Amino acid sequence: MDTTIPKYLLVEDHIRQQIKQRKIIDKLPGERQLAAELGYSYMTIRKAIENLVDEGLLYKVPTKGTYVADRKTQKTKTGTIGYFLDSRIAGGLSSPYYSQIFDALQKATAREGYSLIYFTDTNESDLQRTLKKLDGVISTCFPRVEGFIQELKAVVPVVVIDNSAADKTIPSVILDNFSAQVESVDYLCSLGHERIGFITGLEDSDVGKNRYEGYKSGLQKNGIAVEPELVFRGNYTFGSGVSGVDYFLSLEQRPSAIMCANDSMALGAISKLHQLGLEVPEDISIIGFDDINVASQITPPLTTIFVPINEIAACAFNMLQCLIDGKPLENRHIALAAHLVPRGTSAEVAAELVTA
Amino acid sequence: MDTTIPKYLLVEDHIRQQIKQRKIIDKLPGERQLAAELGYSYMTIRKAIENLVDEGLLYKVPTKGTYVADRKTQKTKTGTIGYFLDSRIAGGLSSPYYSQIFDALQKATAREGYSLIYFTDTNESDLQRTLKKLDGVISTCFPRVEGFIQELKAVVPVVVIDNSAADKTIPSVILDNFSAQVESVDYLCSLGHERIGFITGLEDSDVGKNRYEGYKSGLQKNGIAVEPELVFRGNYTFGSGVSGVDYFLSLEQRPSAIMCANDSMALGAISKLHQLGLEVPEDISIIGFDDINVASQITPPLTTIFVPINEIAACAFNMLQCLIDGKPLENRHIALAAHLVPRGTSAEVAAELVTA
DNA sequence: TAATAATTATGCTATATAGCACTTTAAACG
DNA sequence: CGTTTAAAGTGCTATATAGCATAATTATTA
């Protein structure tokens, strides 16, 4: 008999082992029963259980009994949620789109008295330390972080945005990228454009694929053949916008308009055109995607697709709150609409291009 | 005798009142003494005290006694710090400068296993709830939030950035705005500019004042008289850059160069000049301040002052960590240097303006 | 006066006991 | 068989008591 370890700690450890060995699955024996079985006083049992309740391993329902806490539904709420973004995203949180997403999420969470922590993929011990602070996570989803998201889901409720997760049990809020790109093509065709270049985003995700598919579908809808030479593979960076223009201008017949799968690439394309002495939109029209803050501030103001960032944030947070509170979700997957905002980088196709 | 309120809760409230009324300053009477004084059993006293200890109001030193917890020194660390920014800042966290600051702070804190929560001025109960989650706060300081910062300081360690706090016991990391502006003037003078306009920031803070003072000092240093008509009062927004250009172009003799107290105003100025058919830098040179990400991406790339944002973030966080750990600070106030980055919006003054 | 021993103070552990209010189950009654 | 009553089960509150180990204070002794 080890007299240096208090008995209540022995009881705590005994209960921990019973749970770990699945001898206690959900409901503990009553306190008086435990006292009889283990041969300790009732008050000692109560003290041990009280500590495990404080620790979050157990919870009590008065008059009913004591239960093993399910981490995701019974944990004491921290009042803090996390926003996860892959650390390989260029510019991270200082990139225009993601800083707007984060700002919108922060506002949505603050309205409900929640705090928001931003985190990226990190080592395991830092991750676990961070997750202990969180009631749930909203994550921008890309295929390359699916494993990571599963890891998050094992610990806390998760909602994904931008792309749906492969695991369809994870709720998602995404954008209808396809229809938005069709709308851009429609608009350019209404301006008389027939050679429309496209700088893709990354096609390793639905966002990238759907923006490209929307471009192609829009062309077909307007009776324009899809020409592979009018497609440049981009990666969402300013630099690939620059490279895209280099490529298009090397064609025998350059496009009269260029759609870019995001605004940063559109900025790069415009920069390069200006550098080469070409006018936007007089010589070539440019359309972006995202409507980042700067889009309306450059000269000329960028024609782009408006993304309802505040709505995405609010929607995702509402879904996460339902998960945290154990309430049912009405819809597990929501796709919000985006729409074209015509500004100064798009105009009717120049006359000499029509006749060419 | 109210039989619906448990006695241990009555004891908890009694102790709370004693502390609030300063009848207990530091050390509580012994548990047995309290039991005798209040007429409850020793075990009831212990239970009440145990709860207050769990709550963080008290702490116990075995064999010595029970003490009132000093919030700043005895609290269990949460591993989370806050970044506070006045909610009236235009664009909030999605504005280029602050999103870069936040990103840099997040990286600096993550390196030490800390999490970062962004918060703005908010109602009292949300503030207290948020502060409970924090080990300390880094705050962008403006005169109008001095009171708020004092409130923060009463609860957690605080470090300020951008402007020093009036309360000089609060450590600060600021930028040498004065010398940076002198450098801009020097540079413009080396390009032959003699009429240099200045769009100020807000002069309700040292940042705004020092950028203006640096402009004036730079002029005097280069033997140029300071002309009040060449100064336009701005407010750091794109719109006031636009208005500044309107004002300068209304002068009989417009300036050949315009310095702006931040990049957003520079973007506005450029936009307006382009709108009016003027060329940058051919007709008017423009210099910004901050070197936000977009500065190098617009056409032409913006000449601006590079601000060592990563260094500010790391420095501020290191100071805060010392405060949290109770370590002495080497320097309480640090001013970091900024430097001019010449790009495409500045050039030699045009010939017709020199002769005019 | 200094050193040593005894006493006191302190929070901690542990047991025993006797209810209370509420919920669920079983037994009794019509 | 349905309804009512009683019993059992459950966590909760409250008190009393008797130590334990450690530190500080007081008393005693050399």
PDB file of all heavy atoms in Angstrom, chain B residues 2 12 16 32 42 50 56 58 76 97 115 123 143 180 190 198 228 294 304 310 337 341:
ATOM      1  N   ASP B   2     -32.066  32.110   4.335  1.00  0.00           N
ATOM      2  CA  ASP B   2     -32.415  31.687   2.985  1.00  0.00           C
ATOM      3  C   ASP B   2     -31.876  30.284   2.735  1.00  0.00           C
ATOM      4  O   ASP B   2     -30.674  30.071   2.666  1.00  0.00           O
ATOM      5  CB  ASP B   2     -31.821  32.669   1.980  1.00  0.00           C
ATOM      6  CG  ASP B   2     -32.443  32.483   0.614  1.00  0.00           C
ATOM      7  OD1 ASP B   2     -32.938  31.372   0.340  1.00  0.00           O
ATOM      8  OD2 ASP B   2     -32.424  33.435  -0.186  1.00  0.00           O
ATOM      9  N   GLU B  12     -18.530  32.080  -0.548  1.00  0.00           N
ATOM     10  CA  GLU B  12     -17.820  32.631  -1.719  1.00  0.00           C
ATOM     11  C   GLU B  12     -18.119  34.122  -1.871  1.00  0.00           C
ATOM     12  O   GLU B  12     -17.214  34.941  -2.033  1.00  0.00           O
ATOM     13  CB  GLU B  12     -18.240  31.895  -3.001  1.00  0.00           C
ATOM     14  CG  GLU B  12     -17.681  30.484  -3.127  1.00  0.00           C
ATOM     15  CD  GLU B  12     -18.127  29.800  -4.415  1.00  0.00           C
ATOM     16  OE1 GLU B  12     -18.387  30.493  -5.419  1.00  0.00           O
ATOM     17  OE2 GLU B  12     -18.222  28.554  -4.400  1.00  0.00           O
ATOM     18  N   ARG B  16     -15.643  37.371  -1.601  1.00  0.00           N
ATOM     19  CA  ARG B  16     -15.557  38.339  -2.701  1.00  0.00           C
ATOM     20  C   ARG B  16     -15.766  39.764  -2.220  1.00  0.00           C
ATOM     21  O   ARG B  16     -15.043  40.678  -2.600  1.00  0.00           O
ATOM     22  CB  ARG B  16     -16.611  38.028  -3.763  1.00  0.00           C
ATOM     23  CG  ARG B  16     -16.306  36.850  -4.626  1.00  0.00           C
ATOM     24  CD  ARG B  16     -17.149  36.919  -5.906  1.00  0.00           C
ATOM     25  NE  ARG B  16     -16.852  35.798  -6.776  1.00  0.00           N
ATOM     26  CZ  ARG B  16     -17.480  34.655  -6.786  1.00  0.00           C
ATOM     27  NH1 ARG B  16     -18.492  34.447  -5.980  1.00  0.00           N
ATOM     28  NH2 ARG B  16     -17.128  33.689  -7.586  1.00  0.00           N
ATOM     29  N   ARG B  32      -9.719  27.517   9.334  1.00  0.00           N
ATOM     30  CA  ARG B  32     -10.388  27.215  10.600  1.00  0.00           C
ATOM     31  C   ARG B  32     -10.897  28.498  11.269  1.00  0.00           C
ATOM     32  O   ARG B  32     -11.963  28.537  11.859  1.00  0.00           O
ATOM     33  CB  ARG B  32      -9.426  26.469  11.538  1.00  0.00           C
ATOM     34  CG  ARG B  32      -9.079  25.083  10.992  1.00  0.00           C
ATOM     35  CD  ARG B  32      -8.121  24.319  11.889  1.00  0.00           C
ATOM     36  NE  ARG B  32      -7.825  23.002  11.332  1.00  0.00           N
ATOM     37  CZ  ARG B  32      -6.749  22.718  10.600  1.00  0.00           C
ATOM     38  NH1 ARG B  32      -5.863  23.665  10.327  1.00  0.00           N
ATOM     39  NH2 ARG B  32      -6.537  21.491  10.141  1.00  0.00           N
ATOM     40  N   TYR B  42     -15.889  23.758   8.722  1.00  0.00           N
ATOM     41  CA  TYR B  42     -14.594  23.875   8.064  1.00  0.00           C
ATOM     42  C   TYR B  42     -14.655  23.358   6.635  1.00  0.00           C
ATOM     43  O   TYR B  42     -14.085  23.958   5.715  1.00  0.00           O
ATOM     44  CB  TYR B  42     -13.580  23.080   8.911  1.00  0.00           C
ATOM     45  CG  TYR B  42     -12.254  22.823   8.281  1.00  0.00           C
ATOM     46  CD1 TYR B  42     -11.367  23.861   8.049  1.00  0.00           C
ATOM     47  CD2 TYR B  42     -11.868  21.528   7.936  1.00  0.00           C
ATOM     48  CE1 TYR B  42     -10.122  23.624   7.472  1.00  0.00           C
ATOM     49  CE2 TYR B  42     -10.642  21.279   7.369  1.00  0.00           C
ATOM     50  CZ  TYR B  42      -9.770  22.325   7.152  1.00  0.00           C
ATOM     51  OH  TYR B  42      -8.556  22.091   6.586  1.00  0.00           O
ATOM     52  N   GLU B  50     -12.015  26.519  -2.401  1.00  0.00           N
ATOM     53  CA  GLU B  50     -11.592  25.707  -3.550  1.00  0.00           C
ATOM     54  C   GLU B  50     -12.182  26.263  -4.840  1.00  0.00           C
ATOM     55  O   GLU B  50     -11.501  26.364  -5.863  1.00  0.00           O
ATOM     56  CB  GLU B  50     -12.078  24.259  -3.338  1.00  0.00           C
ATOM     57  CG  GLU B  50     -11.488  23.264  -4.291  1.00  0.00           C
ATOM     58  CD  GLU B  50     -10.140  22.746  -3.804  1.00  0.00           C
ATOM     59  OE1 GLU B  50      -9.815  22.943  -2.602  1.00  0.00           O
ATOM     60  OE2 GLU B  50      -9.401  22.182  -4.619  1.00  0.00           O
ATOM     61  N   GLY B  56      -9.673  31.452 -10.033  1.00  0.00           N
ATOM     62  CA  GLY B  56      -8.530  32.328 -10.217  1.00  0.00           C
ATOM     63  C   GLY B  56      -8.501  33.530  -9.295  1.00  0.00           C
ATOM     64  O   GLY B  56      -7.561  34.301  -9.322  1.00  0.00           O
ATOM     65  N   LEU B  58      -8.364  33.454  -5.970  1.00  0.00           N
ATOM     66  CA  LEU B  58      -7.451  33.177  -4.859  1.00  0.00           C
ATOM     67  C   LEU B  58      -6.414  32.150  -5.284  1.00  0.00           C
ATOM     68  O   LEU B  58      -6.597  31.431  -6.253  1.00  0.00           O
ATOM     69  CB  LEU B  58      -8.231  32.591  -3.671  1.00  0.00           C
ATOM     70  CG  LEU B  58      -9.424  33.357  -3.127  1.00  0.00           C
ATOM     71  CD1 LEU B  58     -10.090  32.547  -2.013  1.00  0.00           C
ATOM     72  CD2 LEU B  58      -9.012  34.728  -2.639  1.00  0.00           C
ATOM     73  N   THR B  76      -2.642  31.509 -14.742  1.00  0.00           N
ATOM     74  CA  THR B  76      -2.107  30.481 -15.632  1.00  0.00           C
ATOM     75  C   THR B  76      -2.020  31.033 -17.043  1.00  0.00           C
ATOM     76  O   THR B  76      -2.956  31.641 -17.518  1.00  0.00           O
ATOM     77  CB  THR B  76      -3.021  29.246 -15.628  1.00  0.00           C
ATOM     78  OG1 THR B  76      -3.101  28.749 -14.301  1.00  0.00           O
ATOM     79  CG2 THR B  76      -2.478  28.176 -16.539  1.00  0.00           C
ATOM     80  N   TYR B  97      -1.744  47.910 -44.829  1.00  0.00           N
ATOM     81  CA  TYR B  97      -0.710  48.051 -43.803  1.00  0.00           C
ATOM     82  C   TYR B  97      -1.004  47.173 -42.600  1.00  0.00           C
ATOM     83  O   TYR B  97      -0.152  46.420 -42.134  1.00  0.00           O
ATOM     84  CB  TYR B  97      -0.599  49.515 -43.365  1.00  0.00           C
ATOM     85  CG  TYR B  97       0.394  49.737 -42.242  1.00  0.00           C
ATOM     86  CD1 TYR B  97       1.768  49.639 -42.478  1.00  0.00           C
ATOM     87  CD2 TYR B  97      -0.038  50.000 -40.945  1.00  0.00           C
ATOM     88  CE1 TYR B  97       2.679  49.819 -41.455  1.00  0.00           C
ATOM     89  CE2 TYR B  97       0.874  50.180 -39.907  1.00  0.00           C
ATOM     90  CZ  TYR B  97       2.229  50.093 -40.171  1.00  0.00           C
ATOM     91  OH  TYR B  97       3.122  50.262 -39.152  1.00  0.00           O
ATOM     92  N   SER B 115      -0.502  31.834 -29.760  1.00  0.00           N
ATOM     93  CA  SER B 115      -1.551  32.152 -30.714  1.00  0.00           C
ATOM     94  C   SER B 115      -1.887  33.628 -30.608  1.00  0.00           C
ATOM     95  O   SER B 115      -1.607  34.261 -29.588  1.00  0.00           O
ATOM     96  CB  SER B 115      -2.821  31.336 -30.432  1.00  0.00           C
ATOM     97  OG  SER B 115      -2.527  29.967 -30.461  1.00  0.00           O
ATOM     98  N   ASN B 123     -17.717  46.102 -26.378  1.00  0.00           N
ATOM     99  CA  ASN B 123     -18.390  46.370 -25.106  1.00  0.00           C
ATOM    100  C   ASN B 123     -17.634  45.721 -23.951  1.00  0.00           C
ATOM    101  O   ASN B 123     -16.821  44.827 -24.134  1.00  0.00           O
ATOM    102  CB  ASN B 123     -19.841  45.928 -25.174  1.00  0.00           C
ATOM    103  CG  ASN B 123     -19.968  44.428 -25.302  1.00  0.00           C
ATOM    104  OD1 ASN B 123     -19.528  43.690 -24.434  1.00  0.00           O
ATOM    105  ND2 ASN B 123     -20.535  43.971 -26.405  1.00  0.00           N
ATOM    106  N   PRO B 143      -3.760  58.520 -29.993  1.00  0.00           N
ATOM    107  CA  PRO B 143      -4.231  59.271 -28.836  1.00  0.00           C
ATOM    108  C   PRO B 143      -5.670  58.963 -28.455  1.00  0.00           C
ATOM    109  O   PRO B 143      -6.009  58.890 -27.273  1.00  0.00           O
ATOM    110  CB  PRO B 143      -4.063  60.736 -29.290  1.00  0.00           C
ATOM    111  CG  PRO B 143      -2.929  60.676 -30.242  1.00  0.00           C
ATOM    112  CD  PRO B 143      -3.081  59.375 -30.968  1.00  0.00           C
ATOM    113  N   ALA B 180      12.844  59.296 -42.158  1.00  0.00           N
ATOM    114  CA  ALA B 180      12.416  58.711 -43.436  1.00  0.00           C
ATOM    115  C   ALA B 180      11.890  59.787 -44.382  1.00  0.00           C
ATOM    116  O   ALA B 180      12.177  59.767 -45.582  1.00  0.00           O
ATOM    117  CB  ALA B 180      11.339  57.657 -43.181  1.00  0.00           C
ATOM    118  N   SER B 190      17.416  65.738 -55.060  1.00  0.00           N
ATOM    119  CA  SER B 190      18.489  65.223 -55.916  1.00  0.00           C
ATOM    120  C   SER B 190      17.994  65.011 -57.348  1.00  0.00           C
ATOM    121  O   SER B 190      18.779  64.939 -58.281  1.00  0.00           O
ATOM    122  CB  SER B 190      19.053  63.904 -55.371  1.00  0.00           C
ATOM    123  OG  SER B 190      18.176  62.836 -55.632  1.00  0.00           O
ATOM    124  N   PHE B 198       2.877  67.981 -50.147  1.00  0.00           N
ATOM    125  CA  PHE B 198       2.802  66.948 -49.104  1.00  0.00           C
ATOM    126  C   PHE B 198       1.355  66.734 -48.706  1.00  0.00           C
ATOM    127  O   PHE B 198       0.652  67.685 -48.353  1.00  0.00           O
ATOM    128  CB  PHE B 198       3.628  67.359 -47.879  1.00  0.00           C
ATOM    129  CG  PHE B 198       3.701  66.294 -46.815  1.00  0.00           C
ATOM    130  CD1 PHE B 198       4.381  65.097 -47.054  1.00  0.00           C
ATOM    131  CD2 PHE B 198       3.103  66.472 -45.566  1.00  0.00           C
ATOM    132  CE1 PHE B 198       4.450  64.112 -46.074  1.00  0.00           C
ATOM    133  CE2 PHE B 198       3.166  65.484 -44.580  1.00  0.00           C
ATOM    134  CZ  PHE B 198       3.839  64.312 -44.840  1.00  0.00           C
ATOM    135  N   PRO B 228       3.010  76.827 -47.041  1.00  0.00           N
ATOM    136  CA  PRO B 228       1.743  76.255 -46.541  1.00  0.00           C
ATOM    137  C   PRO B 228       0.808  75.788 -47.663  1.00  0.00           C
ATOM    138  O   PRO B 228       0.079  74.814 -47.492  1.00  0.00           O
ATOM    139  CB  PRO B 228       1.120  77.402 -45.747  1.00  0.00           C
ATOM    140  CG  PRO B 228       2.293  78.212 -45.320  1.00  0.00           C
ATOM    141  CD  PRO B 228       3.309  78.118 -46.414  1.00  0.00           C
ATOM    142  N   VAL B 294       1.054  45.926 -52.497  1.00  0.00           N
ATOM    143  CA  VAL B 294       0.597  46.390 -53.801  1.00  0.00           C
ATOM    144  C   VAL B 294       1.514  47.450 -54.395  1.00  0.00           C
ATOM    145  O   VAL B 294       1.562  47.652 -55.601  1.00  0.00           O
ATOM    146  CB  VAL B 294      -0.841  46.934 -53.692  1.00  0.00           C
ATOM    147  CG1 VAL B 294      -1.316  47.506 -54.991  1.00  0.00           C
ATOM    148  CG2 VAL B 294      -1.775  45.830 -53.241  1.00  0.00           C
ATOM    149  N   THR B 304       8.453  54.516 -52.515  1.00  0.00           N
ATOM    150  CA  THR B 304       7.843  54.615 -51.191  1.00  0.00           C
ATOM    151  C   THR B 304       8.888  54.386 -50.098  1.00  0.00           C
ATOM    152  O   THR B 304      10.050  54.126 -50.387  1.00  0.00           O
ATOM    153  CB  THR B 304       6.702  53.584 -51.065  1.00  0.00           C
ATOM    154  OG1 THR B 304       6.059  53.716 -49.808  1.00  0.00           O
ATOM    155  CG2 THR B 304       7.224  52.157 -51.180  1.00  0.00           C
ATOM    156  N   ASN B 310       8.275  43.273 -40.236  1.00  0.00           N
ATOM    157  CA  ASN B 310       8.628  42.045 -39.517  1.00  0.00           C
ATOM    158  C   ASN B 310       9.455  42.338 -38.267  1.00  0.00           C
ATOM    159  O   ASN B 310       9.318  41.670 -37.243  1.00  0.00           O
ATOM    160  CB  ASN B 310       9.393  41.098 -40.446  1.00  0.00           C
ATOM    161  CG  ASN B 310       8.494  40.524 -41.535  1.00  0.00           C
ATOM    162  OD1 ASN B 310       7.297  40.343 -41.304  1.00  0.00           O
ATOM    163  ND2 ASN B 310       9.034  40.251 -42.689  1.00  0.00           N
ATOM    164  N   ALA B 337      14.465  52.134 -37.887  1.00  0.00           N
ATOM    165  CA  ALA B 337      14.671  52.979 -39.068  1.00  0.00           C
ATOM    166  C   ALA B 337      13.863  52.457 -40.265  1.00  0.00           C
ATOM    167  O   ALA B 337      13.665  51.253 -40.423  1.00  0.00           O
ATOM    168  CB  ALA B 337      16.155  53.020 -39.427  1.00  0.00           C
ATOM    169  N   VAL B 341      12.614  53.464 -50.922  1.00  0.00           N
ATOM    170  CA  VAL B 341      12.762  52.490 -52.003  1.00  0.00           C
ATOM    171  C   VAL B 341      12.352  53.178 -53.304  1.00  0.00           C
ATOM    172  O   VAL B 341      11.160  53.334 -53.596  1.00  0.00           O
ATOM    173  CB  VAL B 341      11.866  51.255 -51.777  1.00  0.00           C
ATOM    174  CG1 VAL B 341      12.092  50.231 -52.875  1.00  0.00           C
ATOM    175  CG2 VAL B 341      12.143  50.645 -50.417  1.00  0.00           C
TER     176      VAL B 341
END
